[in-house]
Amino acid sequence: MSEPEQENRRPAMAGLAIAVVLLVVGLWLAHELTSASKMQDCLMSGRTNCNVIEPAR
């Protein structure tokens, strides 16, 4: 691969890396918001045992 071809790919690779980071952050944020929503729904229904029990791994 010649030098100009590598220089042309750098912005594309940077864009791809940014897109992947945004995707990961978006998925994490969606998971956190879903978890918080479930906890809030539980508490608003009047329950007192809303603690999340993590399965043993």
Side-chain angles (χ1 to χ4, degrees):
M1 210 176 309
S2 66
E3 187 67 28
E5 287 179 13
Q6 283 185 337
E7 288 180 14
N8 288 340
R9 289 185 186 199
R10 262 189 211 137
M13 294 302 285
L16 180 62
I18 290 170
V20 168
V21 168
L22 288 175
L23 177 66
V24 169
V25 169
L27 289 173
W28 171 77
L29 184 60
H31 180 267
E32 290 297 315
L33 289 173
T34 301
S35 177
S37 176
K38 286 180 182 178
M39 179 64 78
Q40 191 174 30
D41 288 345
C42 179
L43 291 170
M44 290 190 70
S45 70
R47 296 183 196 166
T48 57
N49 60 345
C50 296
N51 290 335
V52 177
I53 299 173
E54 294 292 328
R57 294 184 186 188

